[in-house]
């Protein structure tokens, strides 16, 4: 059985954007972004660049920019960032400049909830394939796990409490609706691509938050060990969520993956700034990645001396006498190691033998090379490479 490719049934269940923005969104969703013709792409690009030149257009112009940025004729947006819409997440996180924890977890929850809503709307309960039923069950479990994450160990505040507050805040609720609407753009018209796209987007959020927490613990664990133990526990929860996202992604079959893979073009996760920055913050600079960084223009800054000298979390917590810090580090390390192993198994299973990765890497062999972290540099500067290692990163 083939899944419905028209998402209009799901669209009608969401609070709509303006009619103008709804038209722009549906244009890009109807056939998938790869199905747009030259004139449609040109129209979207002109709309974006006009909005950039006319900031007085306010919120309406801002949303137009969010919907059309991947087609800009003046911005050099790498294909990975055209695909993942990280600019929209950046716009949302601008509300949280000093402490992004609430913003990241709200954005992650909104992304998962949107996918769950789409899967339910796309498949009636009386005619739902087993893998879709499994996916919906996994998404419900992921949403429940997200809600239980403890944000503040001192007060016991959990994500579910923040969600309740967001629901009572019309401005924040509106921003979350815009976030969901402006990031739901697969490249193909294949239903199965949605779980892949949304999984990548949620992982980007978690990479960023783990990095921020790692940098903070590296800098202040000596002065505030109890607080940093709590931050490490939160980082470990985020790493566990990465593994749970992977379990949902595995409801996508290798055959289903190959139905849309070619349409994602060169939008490879190898190009992710947030992922590489997280690994540097947690484990240190890996000299084996130098050629990778040098070959991708927006990654070249990771080869800078300051980044190479960044003192990692693993170095900062090595040999600590604080039992809570040591336990937090070991849990985070084990959980991230399990995620990397899962990533390798995914590449090995979902890419046919001999198939290159979308970033022109050697596919599963490339992923396997970086599963172990024992060759990363220790570093000497806890602020090495900042602010490169602190802010939310996208092109």
């Amino acid at each position: 059985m083939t899944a419905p490719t028209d998402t209009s049934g799901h669209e009608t269940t969401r609070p709509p954007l303006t009619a103008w923005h709804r038209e722009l969104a549906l244009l890009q969703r109807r056939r998938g972004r790869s199905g747009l013709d030259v004139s449609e792409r040109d129209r979207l690009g002109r709309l974006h660049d006009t909005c950039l030149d006319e900031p007085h257009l306010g919120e309406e112009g801002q949303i137009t920019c969010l919907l059309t940025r991947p087609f800009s004729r003046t911005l050099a947006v790498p294909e990975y960032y055209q695909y993942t819409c990280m600019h929209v997440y950046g716009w949302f996180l601008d509300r949280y400049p000093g402490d992004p924890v609430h913003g990241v977890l709200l954005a992650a929850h909104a992304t998962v909830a949107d996918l769950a809503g789409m899967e339910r709307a796309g498949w009636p309960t009386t005619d739902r394939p087993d893998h879709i039923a499994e996916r919906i069950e996994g998404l419900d479990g992921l949403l429940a796990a997200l809600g239980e994450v403890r944000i503040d160990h001192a007060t016991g505040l959990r994500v579910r409490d923040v969600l309740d507050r967001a629901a009572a805040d019309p401005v924040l609720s509106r921003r979350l609706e815009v976030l969901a609407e402006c990031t739901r753009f697969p490249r193909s018209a294949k239903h199965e691509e949605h779980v892949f796209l949304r999984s990548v987007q949620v992982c980007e959020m978690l990479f960023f938050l783990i990095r921020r927490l790692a940098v903070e613990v590296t800098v202040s664990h000596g002065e505030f060990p109890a607080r940093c133990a709590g931050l490490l526990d939160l980082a470990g929860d985020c790493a566990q969520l990465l593994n749970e996202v992977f379990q949902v992604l595995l409801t996508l079959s290798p055959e289903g993956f190959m139905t849309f893979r070619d349409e994602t073009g060169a939008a490879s996760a190898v190009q992710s700034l947030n992922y590489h920055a997280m690994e540097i913050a947690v484990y240190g600079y890996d000299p084996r990645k130098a050629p990778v960084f040098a070959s991708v223009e927006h990654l070249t800054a990771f080869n800078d001396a300051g980044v190479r000298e960044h003192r990692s979390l693993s170095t900062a917590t090595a040999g600590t006498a604080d039992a809570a810090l040591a336990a937090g580090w070991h849990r985070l390390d084990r959980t991230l190691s399990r995620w990397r192993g899962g990533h390798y198994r995914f590449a090995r299973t979902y890419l046919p033998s001999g198939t290159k990765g979308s970033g022109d890497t050697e596919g599963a062999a490339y992923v396997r090379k970086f599963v172990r972290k024992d060759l990363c540099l220790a570093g000497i500067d806890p602020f090495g490479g900042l602010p490169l290692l602190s802010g939310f990163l996208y092109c």
Side-chain angles (χ1 to χ4, degrees):
M1 181 180 296
T2 303
T5 58
D6 183 356
T7 62
S8 59
H10 172 62
E11 299 264 359
T12 59
T13 68
R14 293 197 57 78
L17 299 174
T18 64
W20 165 242
H21 291 133
R22 187 174 176 80
E23 176 192 337
L24 290 179
L26 287 175
L27 171 66
Q28 298 176 62
R29 284 200 257 272
R30 217 170 267 126
R31 303 183 303 276
R33 278 179 161 170
S34 66
L36 295 170
D37 61 33
V38 173
S39 64
E40 290 167 331
R41 290 174 174 275
D42 184 63
R43 175 195 172 201
L44 293 168
R46 283 187 284 106
L47 280 172
H48 178 271
D49 296 342
T50 299
C51 287
L52 279 187
D53 294 336
E54 300 184 31
H56 63 279
L57 294 176
E59 184 187 62
E60 185 169 345
Q62 189 175 53
I63 293 175
T64 302
C65 272
L66 294 177
L67 286 167
T68 57
R69 186 179 186 271
F71 304 95
S72 174
R73 299 173 302 172
T74 60
L75 300 177
V77 182
E79 198 160 358
Y80 178 74
Y81 291 100
Q82 294 175 27
Y83 182 60
T84 56
C85 295
M86 284 299 108
H87 63 284
V88 184
Y89 289 93
W91 162 81
F92 182 80
L93 292 176
D94 283 345
R95 183 185 173 100
Y96 304 89
D99 181 5
V101 174
H102 290 198
V104 166
L105 295 172
L106 281 172
H109 189 279
T111 304
V112 176
D114 188 76
L115 176 60
M118 169 165 283
E119 296 290 353
R120 281 193 166 86
W123 295 101
T125 54
T126 56
D127 193 25
R128 186 175 288 166
D130 290 346
H131 76 283
I132 297 294
E134 181 186 357
R135 182 176 301 162
I136 291 171
E137 182 180 358
L139 289 167
D140 288 344
L142 178 56
L143 288 169
L146 255 168
E148 290 302 314
V149 170
R150 189 165 51 171
I151 295 175
D152 189 320
H153 281 245
T155 64
L157 183 73
R158 296 180 186 271
V159 172
R160 64 169 183 255
D161 303 314
V162 177
L163 290 168
D164 290 341
R165 296 175 187 177
D169 182 339
V171 174
L172 181 52
S173 294
R174 168 67 176 164
R175 287 179 70 89
L176 287 165
E177 291 165 6
V178 171
L179 174 77
E181 292 285 354
C182 294
T183 54
R184 196 190 320 116
F185 294 112
R187 292 289 287 270
S188 73
K190 308 298 192 300
H191 178 86
E192 288 293 81
E193 188 182 349
H194 286 279
V195 68
F196 180 78
L197 173 61
R198 287 314 204 181
S199 295
V200 172
Q201 291 166 334
V202 174
C203 285
E204 282 276 339
M205 292 290 96
L206 297 171
F207 296 154
F208 166 53
L209 186 51
I210 292 170
R211 175 189 5 129
R212 280 294 298 259
L213 295 167
V215 170
E216 189 166 351
V217 173
T218 298
V219 171
S220 59
H221 70 282
E223 189 175 3
F224 304 106
R227 179 174 182 275
C228 286
L231 297 180
L232 271 180
D233 196 50
L234 176 56
D237 288 342
C238 290
Q240 177 57 34
L241 290 172
L242 285 172
N243 284 290
E244 296 191 31
V245 170
F246 236 131
Q247 290 306 305
V248 173
L249 182 59
L250 291 175
T251 62
L252 171 66
S253 69
E255 295 76 19
F257 177 64
M258 294 308 294
T259 64
F260 64 81
R261 178 184 179 271
D262 288 346
E263 291 175 81
T264 63
S268 170
V270 171
Q271 302 164 15
S272 169
L273 286 158
N274 287 308
Y275 177 68
H276 292 299
M278 178 199 73
E279 291 225 310
I280 293 168
V282 174
Y283 295 105
Y285 178 85
D286 190 334
R288 297 172 299 170
K289 288 188 178 182
V292 177
F293 296 154
S295 68
V296 180
E297 184 176 357
H298 66 268
L299 298 182
T300 56
F302 286 131
N303 278 332
D304 290 353
V307 179
R308 288 173 177 265
E309 294 174 0
H310 179 77
R311 184 174 176 81
S312 67
L313 175 66
S314 61
T315 301
T317 57
T320 180
D322 188 293
L325 284 173
W329 159 250
H330 287 304
R331 178 191 175 217
L332 174 62
D333 181 36
R334 286 195 308 271
T335 312
L336 286 176
S337 177
R338 189 163 68 251
W339 183 86
R340 292 193 301 274
H343 188 194
Y344 166 62
R345 287 189 294 276
F346 182 91
R348 188 181 60 191
T349 302
Y350 285 69
L351 292 176
S353 179
T355 302
K356 283 195 169 186
S358 51
D360 202 32
T361 68
E362 59 270 37
Y366 170 85
V367 177
R368 183 181 183 184
K369 184 188 304 182
F370 299 108
V371 168
R372 295 188 57 159
K373 296 299 171 188
D374 48 339
L375 295 180
C376 294
L377 304 183
I380 58 173
D381 183 0
F383 294 100
L386 295 178
L388 186 63
L389 296 177
S390 57
F392 182 71
L393 303 174
Y394 64 92
C395 296

